[in-house]
Amino acid sequence: MAGKDDTLENLENISEGPDFARDTRIVDFGQALPSGEMLNRLTSGDPLPADVEVRFRTIKGPGQNAVVMMKKPIVILGRVEDIADVLVADESASRYHACVTHQGGKFFLTDMDSTNGTFVNRKPVREVELKHGDQIRIGITVLVFECQKLAP
């Protein structure tokens, strides 16, 4: 495996192209932080009912067969482990791709200005109320939203 110094040494040996090409570094600053409106959405969920269980089950794509429980009123779906509550390890997923919020006894999925969009039941969405069994597609990854009342 080449170390950092090996890479720099190889870059210094570039002989073709303009001089600036040797000194240029590509930096991925990633997706911008959520806007003020989106930050409000991320702080406005209602507590989850104790008698309801909510899961995201990955049925297609990277992480297939993974199941993640929704344990708080707002969860972020995205591709970076330290940011996302529901990890979508798909190259087409944004860091902050979408969020699911519990409000007024309902669950809403909101696309967080993702680069490639969010689809629910094969339709592009900006915001939609989720129902049990809805399929959420982010890139090639498909998750099923499962929401069930627990037996008393």
Side-chain angles (χ1 to χ4, degrees), residues 84-119:
D85 301 297
V86 179
L87 183 63
V88 180
D90 188 312
E91 292 177 359
S92 298
S94 296
R95 290 181 175 143
Y96 303 92
H97 198 96
C99 68
V100 175
T101 309
H102 178 251
Q103 290 182 322
K106 299 176 181 180
F107 293 88
F108 296 92
L109 178 137
T110 304
D111 183 272
M112 297 177 70
D113 298 324
S114 66
T115 302
N116 296 309
T118 305
F119 298 78

Side-chain angles (χ1 to χ4, degrees), residues 5 17 61 68 116:
D5 294 333
V68 178
N116 296 309

Side-chain angles (χ1 to χ4, degrees), residues 3-4 14 16-17 26 31 39 49 57 63 78 87 97 104 122 146:
K4 185 176 181 183
I14 296 174
E16 295 181 19
I26 298 172
Q31 181 179 359
L39 287 175
R57 181 180 308 275
L87 183 63
H97 198 96
R122 299 182 182 210
E146 300 175 345

Side-chain angles (χ1 to χ4, degrees), residues 8-75:
L8 292 175
E9 183 179 314
N10 290 337
L11 287 173
E12 290 172 1
N13 294 328
I14 296 174
S15 59
E16 295 181 19
D19 290 338
F20 74 85
R22 181 181 57 228
D23 298 323
T24 302
R25 304 289 186 270
I26 298 172
V27 179
D28 175 15
F29 291 103
Q31 181 179 359
L33 291 172
S35 66
E37 176 186 331
M38 191 58 63
L39 287 175
N40 287 339
R41 164 74 65 187
L42 292 175
T43 58
S44 62
D46 296 336
L48 294 175
D51 64 341
V52 173
E53 184 175 82
V54 177
R55 295 181 298 269
F56 298 90
R57 181 180 308 275
T58 304
I59 61 168
K60 182 179 178 188
Q64 186 170 347
N65 299 321
V67 178
V68 178
M69 303 293 293
M70 183 170 178
K71 297 181 179 179
K72 54 187 187 175
I74 302 163
V75 296

